[in-house]
Every structure is written in C-alpha cells, then in structure tokens.
Amino acid sequence: MALKTKVAGFEFDNCIMNASGVLCSDVTSLEKLDQSAAGTFITKTATIEYREGNVKPRYYKYNIGSINSFGLPNMSIDYYLDAVKQFQEKNPNKTYFLSVTEMGEDKIYDILKIVNDSDFEGLVELNLSCPNVEGKPQVAYDFETTERILTEIFKWFKKPLGIKLPPFFDMSHFDQMADIINQFPIAYVNAINSIGNGLIVHDESVAIKPKQGFGGLGGSIIKPTALANVHAWYQRLNPEISIIGTGGISTGQDAFEHILCGASMVQVGTALGHNGPQLFERITQELEAIMTQKGYSEIDDFRGQLQYL
Ligand code: RRO
C-alpha cells in the first residue's frame, strides 16, 4: 500500500496504471489490466462512432521508443461505457478512467453529453491532444479554442473531468495554458500525450504508412519532455488540480522521477505495449525498493519535492 495515491479525491491502491491507447481497446485487454498490479485502467480514447483508424503499418517500435499513427481506432463510446459499467459492478470500490474525444467542438460537447447522461461513476479524461487524425489539429495547441471548449463544458458537465495535454516546449505556453486551466474546476491534468509528428527513417523509408510517416513519439526518448511538462504544471496549477505523469516510464526510477516532479499518478504507454501487463509488478517493486532505500513510506513524502541547484 506504499504506492497508494489520490487523484481528484479518488483513492487508488497503486499510483501506476496504463496510458490510454495501450492494451485498452477492448474488454479482453481491459480485463488483463484489471487483473494486473496496476492501480486501475483507462480506456482507449472513445469517439461517438466506431473508428477503424489509419492504414497499417501504423506503429513502429525501435530501441529507444515508438512512433504511432493509429488515427483513433476505437469501439465507440457506447462500447466503453458498457465495458466500464461491468468492471464498476464487479469492483464497486475501484475507480476507472474513461478517455474521450471528438473532432470539432460541437461533437466534443455531444460525446461529453452522452457521458454526462450515463451512469459512469469514475474519472473522465478529455483527450485534447491526439496528433494523428489527418487534417485535425491537436486542440490544446490552440489556446483560444481550448478556453472556449472548457468554458462551455463546465457550464453543464457534472462528472469529474481531467484533460490530456500534448507536450509544450516554451515557458510562455506553459504560462498561458496554466492561466486558462486554473479558471476551471478541472480534476486533473495528464501530461504528456506522445510528442506529435516525429519522423523515423528505417532503411531509406519512413517507418509507418499514414501521413507520409509522421507520427507521435513515445518511449524513453520522451521522458525529459514529459518530466518538464509534469513539473511545469506542478509549478503553475492550483494545488487542487492533480497531475498525472505520462511519458518514458519503464522502470521504478522513471516513475519515481515523475512523482518527484509532481505527479500523483503515473501512466505507462510504450513500455506496456512492449512488455504486457506483468510489467506493472516489476515497476511497482522497483519503485517500492527506491522508496525503502530513501526512507519514504508513501509517495506524498516526496511528490513534487524536486530539488533545484
Ligand atoms: O489513436 C492515436 O493515433 C493516438 C491518440 Br487518440 C493519442 O491521443 N495519442 C497517440 O499517440 N495516438
């Protein structure tokens, strides 16, 4: 129980879980996550209708990371609401995460209305950062649109809502976005989604087919960017807004660093895809060993306590 944590007031036995998109697209995969050492799971980002996603190959793994352009394949919001309801009924004391998005403001409101009217009892994550749908921008890079969307949603949305952000790279962007986020009763911020529109060359070709090879980068190469984003939000956001750290986590040390930078929960993406849900046990043991060695008995003993020189 050393790794127990709270996100937006909800308690979890383990602060480690999957990142949306990885091994969470259907009930069979969600069942494996539910049975694993992870504290909970989040679903694949859902849209109103089923989506096939982009052409294949749309994922490429290499030694230090991954590139993907899945293009939001998913089973539809009705499917995931139904799936999570089954898990909720089986485990009434466990809180699950449901990830959603849509293309266009009106459709974002439509999908959130479906969730608002449902009996879903967990945390809702609005993905404002999918980099892989052709012709559709990553919403959170447009500050005005993000502010307008959040203003509208919080007029009527009644469930706890977190947002998944893309990585930012400029201090003025952190400042501007924090000013927007701090206006709203947002449950949590999840940083970061994949680093959008990278390109990997393999032989003399791009490594994936959609978008002429451009795709979201994940894995250990993105950890420094992820840590910077987690800490930048920790420095700027109202303390009531929890932070979930995602990006480059494959060991207990990686998880430790995310928590030190301010994360209350950490999510594993690329490494989970490569190793399967038994990975949660190893990361859990490694993080607990680091804490024991340092004399920390719970994650709140060091969360956000990053030292400066
Ligand atoms: O499905 C995807 O292509 C995808 C999504 Br929705 C996302 O948010 N992040 C990502 O790297 N891929």
Side-chain angles (χ1 to χ4, degrees), residues 138-154:
Q138 292 167 81
V139 176
Y141 283 143
D142 179 338
F143 297 113
E144 258 178 54
T145 302
T146 300
E147 184 167 12
R148 196 168 56 241
I149 288 173
L150 294 176
T151 303
E152 175 62 26
I153 292 169
F154 282 104

Side-chain angles (χ1 to χ4, degrees), residues 9 32 61 64 90 114 128 141 145 175 184 195 203 205 208-209 213 222 240 263 270 283 296:
K32 288 179 187 155
K61 159 193 171 180
I64 49 169
K90 263 194 290 179
I114 294 172
L128 293 174
Y141 283 143
T145 302
D175 292 340
F184 301 101
I195 298 185
D203 288 334
S205 163
I208 54 171
K209 191 171 168 75
I222 77 164
E240 309 83 66
T270 296
I283 300 179
Y296 297 134

Side-chain angles (χ1 to χ4, degrees), residues 4 12 25 27 31 49 53 90 96-97 108-109 118 142 158 170 172 177 180 182 191 207 248 276 280 282 305:
K4 72 176 172 18
F12 300 88
S25 291
V27 172
E31 182 69 42
E49 304 288 341
K90 263 194 290 179
Y96 297 98
F97 289 71
I108 288 177
Y109 307 143
S118 76
D142 179 338
K158 297 288 175 250
D170 190 282
S172 74
M177 189 49 113
I180 293 169
N182 281 333
F280 289 117
R282 175 172 62 74
Q305 301 304 308

